[in-house]
């Protein structure tokens, strides 16, 4: 059995365990098994999943695991990095990090979603400031 069919079978099993509005608690497991679980959850009907890590290094490894194990381009996997230094009016910030963070925020605005989204983030990235939804809406230009 290949990994993609195993993920599909795992998704069916998770879906059977999960009830509407209830959290699913799983035991600690290796990072690659966590990635398989997230992919199965996304196939089982979860729309937005947040995979939170304690460091940027673990976040990057988890992101690579998801990209390696997913089938084709589904689900969407969004990498939410932390700032190297907090942005201030008198400093320049990394445009690549800004772009990745904005992409995640834009993806979260698309609710209800018809396709699953897995956000991979670190605790540090979530604790850093970002645009408020209203400010993001006002400053977004769709072409």
């Amino acid at each position: 059995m290949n990994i993609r069919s195993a993920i599909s079978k795992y998704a069916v099993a998770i879906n059977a365990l999960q009830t509407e509005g209830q959290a699913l608690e799983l035991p600690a497991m290796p990072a690659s098994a966590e990635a398989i679980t997230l992919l199965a959850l996304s196939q089982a009907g979860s729309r937005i999943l947040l995979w939170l890590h304690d460091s940027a290094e673990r976040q990057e490894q988890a992101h690579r695991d998801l990209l390696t194990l997913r089938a084709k381009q589904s689900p969407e996997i969004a990498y939410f990095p932390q700032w190297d230094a907090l942005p201030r009016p008198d400093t320049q910030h990394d445009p690549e990090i800004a772009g990745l963070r904005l992409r995640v925020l834009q993806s979260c605005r698309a609710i209800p979603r018809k396709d699953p989204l897995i956000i991979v983030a670190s605790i540090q990235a979530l604790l850093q400031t970002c645009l408020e939804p209203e400010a993001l809406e006002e400053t977004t230009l769709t072409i």
Side-chain angles (χ1 to χ4, degrees):
M1 174 184 318
N2 68 33
I3 191 72
R4 293 188 193 354
S5 62
I7 290 171
S8 294
K9 288 186 181 203
Y10 193 28
V12 171
I14 287 174
N15 203 23
L17 292 173
Q18 201 173 16
T19 59
E20 187 69 31
Q22 238 181 348
L24 181 63
E25 293 184 36
L26 298 171
M29 57 183 87
S32 56
E34 290 177 359
I36 290 171
T37 302
L38 266 286
L39 291 168
L41 280 168
S42 72
Q43 286 185 10
S46 299
R47 291 295 162 221
I48 297 181
L49 298 164
L50 175 62
W51 193 9
L52 193 57
H53 297 277
D54 59 0
S55 69
E57 294 79 24
R58 296 233 333 122
Q59 175 189 7
E60 289 174 20
Q61 180 62 50
H63 185 246
R64 284 193 301 271
D65 286 348
L66 283 172
L67 292 175
T68 301
L69 294 170
R70 77 174 172 177
K72 300 181 185 173
Q73 296 301 312
S74 183
E76 180 183 349
I77 298 170
Y79 182 78
F80 193 71
Q82 68 186 46
W83 293 109
D84 293 330
L86 290 177
R88 297 188 325 246
D90 61 333
T91 62
Q92 290 245 340
H93 44 270
D94 186 337
E96 184 177 347
I97 291 175
L100 288 168
R101 290 175 66 92
L102 281 172
R103 182 176 154 246
V104 171
L105 295 174
Q106 290 284 18
S107 293
C108 289
R109 285 183 54 227
I111 296 176
R113 296 186 60 85
K114 60 179 183 175
D115 297 321
L117 169 66
I118 299 175
I119 301 169
V120 184
S122 67
I123 294 169
Q124 297 84 352
L126 287 183
L127 291 175
Q128 295 173 340
T129 60
C130 59
L131 284 175
E132 302 229 354
E134 297 80 23
L136 183 61
E137 180 72 32
E138 290 172 10
T139 57
T140 300
L141 174 64
T142 304
I143 300 175

